[in-house]
Amino acid sequence: MYRYDEIDARIVRERVEQFRDQTRRFLAGELSEDEFRPLRLMNGLYIQRLAPMLRVAVPYGHLSSRQLRKLAEIARKYDKGYGHFTTRQNLQYNWPALEDVPEILSELAEVEMHAIQTSGNCVRNTTTDAFAGVAADEIIDPRPYCEIIRQWSTLHPEFAFLPRKFKIAVSGSEQDRAATWVHDIGLHVVKTDAGEVGFKVIVGGGLGRTPMIGEVIRDFLPTAHLLTYLDAVLRVYNRYGRRDNKYKARIKILVKAMTREAFAAKVEEEWIHLKDGPATLRAADVEHYASFFTDPAYETLEANPAEFTAKLAEDKAFARWVERNTRGHKQAGYRSVVLSLKKTGVPPGDATDAQMDAVADWADQFGFGEIRVSHEQNLVLPDVRERDLFDLWQLAKAAGFATPNVGLLTDIICCPGGDFCSLANAKSIPVAEAIQQRFDDFDYLHDIGDIELNMSGCMNACGHHHIGHIGILGVDKSGEEWYQVTLGGSQGSGASIGKVIGPSFARAQMPDVIEKILSVYVDTRTEEERFLDTVRRIGIIPFKERVYAKHN
């Protein structure tokens, strides 16, 4: 993984000292709340419903075991003993005291971490595939390009005050596992018949108040021109994006207003001034960043060793966990393990300090000291020998990380909602827990198969509800919490926005609503048909009729 050089380290240390002084002056009454607000936001610090919230950047979801131990230590020393992993592949602390935040940032700097640009109207944490570098279908490893984008966008003077926040995702595989179609800019690797590799550039996707699937404005961008082209897109957005209305300030609104063709033409026009300029990537530049992401010292192993297959045959629970919570690996004899943070009764995405310490230990014991954060709010150990999976499974079970539900209904993506977030209209964690409790039957969950249920407590859509096969949105109706349901959303290459099925429901109704939706699927599915495929085949009307039947 990327390691700071002396310049990186000095910039982060100086930033910490600047914020330490800014915080001191605010607490001493020398800075007003209005003066302090942009300073704290530039360092990832929000004021939430009950306490400050500090969002720590995890660049493209990569952590070393050393960094994860530090995150655990901070949770123990300065918070309430846990952290929340987000859909932006970051980590949030919900209970730090304001006066402690400079020291927290100082401790993060010791392990090459910070909270810069995790909030505010700037380029946020670039995200990518949690299986980057180990996926069997990978065309190029996207991590060097993510790091290049990170360095280009961090403290970029021209893009520090954009009309609104700006999110970039990069996918380097045939299958899109980075939700590139619902980002301000999505970069999806493509390979020409001649073998040249570049990026398809998707612009204007996004969720939130006005969800949209992005538009392709360039089918093939040679990798050398990545930064000059991103500069051109950001410059057009910075110049023409609306600043008079924050609800219409995202780039997706601009692209729709201008039309894809006109926006693309503006970008090409701007790019003429930048193309082949100083920001053009030389082969040596890419090689430099790629040198941080070389393969670890894999052993030469046979796939499916005898001791592993014997355990699969002997232990049904182990076999079920392997089926749901591990993924194929480019290296024979290895698998990637998804540690589920979706155990029933635990807020989705939360991990305690003890659990984080345990994962760091497993990363060292069974892998090469590396952990990934997925945008589905789980943790990934990317390189585990198949012969070690049984031992790891037993440890993960004891720590509460082996729930075999990855990709199933109870693997819920969920924002903190009204329990913490001051923007939320409704609580999301209690609804997620109620659904998990209702469907805490693995035989049933495995029978209904792959279903993505995403939930947000407000229109900001931090829980990605628009692209859930089943989406739940918390809404406020005359001061009461209600929940709107969408069906048919999806991420990936066939990304789609879910459709609202009708009027919203009270919180207590939600498990029954989900049960009725699933009953339609079970009654009408064809053999081997996934839930999403059934929704797309029959439409939402049969689901709507079943859910609202008592009112008809």
Side-chain angles (χ1 to χ4, degrees):
M1 65 187 302
Y2 180 76
R3 298 300 308 268
Y4 282 9
D5 61 20
E6 178 48 34
I7 295 174
D8 298 325
R10 188 168 69 241
I11 289 173
V12 173
R13 286 197 305 268
E14 290 176 353
R15 185 69 176 235
V16 170
E17 293 313 308
Q18 289 167 3
F19 189 64
R20 192 188 300 279
D21 185 58
Q22 292 158 1
T23 303
R24 180 195 62 74
R25 286 188 285 152
F26 174 70
L27 291 173
E30 297 170 15
L31 292 176
S32 69
E33 174 55 45
D34 286 345
E35 291 170 325
F36 186 58
R37 183 182 301 111
L39 302 175
R40 63 173 169 76
L41 288 176
M42 283 191 283
N43 289 280
L45 186 64
Y46 289 77
I47 300 299
Q48 293 287 58
R49 191 177 295 272
L50 303 172
M53 181 274 281
L54 180 65
R55 183 179 292 148
V56 179
V58 181
Y60 32 94
H62 266 230
L63 284 169
S64 67
S65 56
R66 176 171 170 250
Q67 290 173 324
L68 188 56
R69 287 193 185 92
K70 175 57 72 175
L71 294 175
E73 181 185 346
I74 290 172
R76 197 159 43 240
K77 286 172 63 177
Y78 300 105
D79 206 273
K80 292 191 175 183
Y82 71 95
H84 175 76
F85 290 99
T86 77
T87 52
R88 197 95 222 119
Q89 299 178 306
N90 291 321
L91 180 116
Q92 293 179 178
Y93 295 112
N94 286 315
W95 301 97
L98 175 58
E99 57 270 29
D100 288 337
V101 172
E103 196 53 34
I104 294 173
L105 295 178
S106 178
E107 293 202 25
L108 287 171
E110 293 173 3
V111 294
E112 303 177 9
M113 298 188 78
H114 59 72
I116 298 169
Q117 290 189 198
T118 57
S119 60
N121 294 332
C122 54
V123 180
R124 302 287 187 89
N125 188 30
T126 295
T127 53
T128 193
D129 182 4
F131 303 97
V134 299
D137 67 338
E138 194 165 85
I139 298 172
I140 59 169
D141 187 340
R143 295 173 298 174
Y145 294 97
C146 291
E147 179 57 32
I148 289 169
I149 294 170
R150 187 186 73 83
Q151 298 211 11
W152 160 79
S153 62
T154 301
L155 305 178
H156 193 304
E158 194 174 342
F159 306 136
F161 297 98
L162 294 166
R164 279 289 280 146
K165 58 188 173 184
F166 202 91
K167 299 177 179 178
I168 300 173
V170 186
S171 173
S173 298
E174 294 174 5
Q175 184 182 350
D176 175 15
R177 289 182 289 268
T180 57
W181 289 90
V182 289
H183 276 73
D184 296 298
I185 294 179
L187 299 167
H188 198 158
V189 69
V190 288
K191 190 174 186 179
T192 67
D193 293 339
E196 188 180 4
V197 174
F199 292 105
K200 177 189 296 182
V201 182
I202 305 159
V203 169
L207 302 176
R209 188 172 297 270
T210 312
M212 293 185 193
I213 301 299
E215 302 264 17
V216 176
I217 63 166
R218 180 166 265 274
D219 289 311
F220 185 83
L221 176 71
T223 54
H225 298 301
L226 176 65
L227 293 188
T228 58
Y229 199 80
L230 290 180
D231 259 323
V233 174
L234 266 294
R235 283 188 174 186
V236 171
Y237 171 53
N238 211 11
R239 179 177 180 185
Y240 295 102
R242 292 184 60 172
R243 295 175 187 270
D244 61 321
N245 184 340
K246 71 175 185 179
Y247 300 121
K248 297 184 183 298
R250 296 293 292 267
I251 194 173
K252 60 190 174 185
I253 303 297
L254 178 64
V255 173
K256 186 173 180 61
M258 293 179 73
T259 74
R260 178 186 69 85
E261 292 78 10
F263 183 88
K266 283 289 185 188
V267 172
E268 295 292 322
E269 185 181 313
E270 184 66 33
W271 193 36
I272 289 173
H273 306 293
L274 300 165
K275 188 180 179 185
D276 298 322
T280 303
L281 294 175
R282 301 167 301 173
D285 299 325
V286 177
E287 287 173 7
H288 169 71
Y289 290 104
S291 70
F292 293 99
F293 302 99
T294 55
D295 283 347
Y298 291 126
E299 297 176 38
T300 301
L301 302 171
E302 64 170 327
N304 300 311
E307 62 265 44
F308 170 58
T309 55
K311 289 291 185 186
L312 289 175
E314 293 169 7
D315 196 317
K316 184 179 178 181
F318 174 60
R320 175 173 280 177
W321 177 77
V322 169
E323 177 193 353
R324 296 306 315 187
N325 293 37
T326 73
R327 292 183 59 90
H329 197 287
K330 68 179 183 181
Q331 186 74 17
Y334 285 83
R335 294 200 184 212
S336 299
V337 172
V338 182
L339 299 168
S340 172
L341 274 59
K342 313 296 175 56
K343 182 181 178 182
T344 298
V346 177
D350 278 12
T352 68
D353 59 325
Q355 287 176 317
M356 287 189 265
D357 277 335
V359 174
D361 290 345
W362 303 338
D364 289 335
Q365 180 180 351
F366 297 109
F368 300 93
E370 186 179 300
I371 305 101
R372 313 283 179 83
V373 183
S374 75
H375 76 270
E376 290 93 352
Q377 299 177 288
N378 291 312
L379 296 178
V380 175
L381 297 177
D383 309 290
V384 180
R385 290 179 293 262
E386 289 177 326
R387 69 174 186 238
D388 291 333
L389 285 173
F390 189 78
D391 291 341
L392 173 59
W393 172 63
Q394 291 182 309
L395 291 169
K397 271 199 307 179
F401 272 165
T403 308
N405 63 347
V406 172
L408 300 177
L409 179 73
T410 56
D411 185 14
I412 298 173
I413 294 178
C414 181
C415 72
D419 285 295
F420 299 99
C421 180
S422 58
L423 300 176
N425 292 320
K427 293 183 179 181
S428 50
I429 293 172
V431 177
E433 183 177 356
I435 293 170
Q436 287 177 324
Q437 287 176 344
R438 174 67 65 87
F439 299 99
D440 194 18
D441 177 342
F442 288 115
D443 288 334
Y444 179 72
L445 288 175
H446 283 253
D447 175 60
I448 59 175
D450 295 344
I451 298 180
E452 296 174 5
L453 194 160
N454 299 356
M455 181 171 179
S456 304
C458 76
M459 286 303 296
N460 287 305
C462 293
H464 293 182
H465 64 278
H466 296 295
I467 54 171
H469 301 168
I470 302 173
I472 301 175
L473 168 65
V475 296
D476 178 87
K477 290 173 67 174
S478 303
E480 295 185 6
E481 297 181 357
W482 290 75
Y483 297 87
Q484 187 183 75
V485 175
T486 55
L487 293 180
S490 71
Q491 58 174 319
S493 301
S496 57
I497 302 297
K499 296 179 180 177
V500 177
I501 65 169
S504 53
F505 305 92
R507 185 196 300 179
Q509 294 176 285
M510 289 309 301
D512 291 337
V513 170
I514 301 302
E515 187 168 317
K516 290 175 182 175
I517 288 170
L518 295 178
S519 70
V520 176
Y521 166 58
V522 171
D523 291 347
T524 58
R525 65 182 172 182
T526 61
E527 191 174 358
E528 304 297 328
E529 190 175 48
R530 299 177 307 156
F531 174 82
L532 179 63
D533 297 327
T534 300
V535 174
R536 287 175 170 171
R537 176 171 58 82
I538 69 176
I540 67 171
I541 298 300
F543 296 93
K544 184 174 181 176
E545 290 176 345
R546 183 77 58 92
V547 169
Y548 296 101
K550 65 180 181 181
H551 301 301
N552 295 336

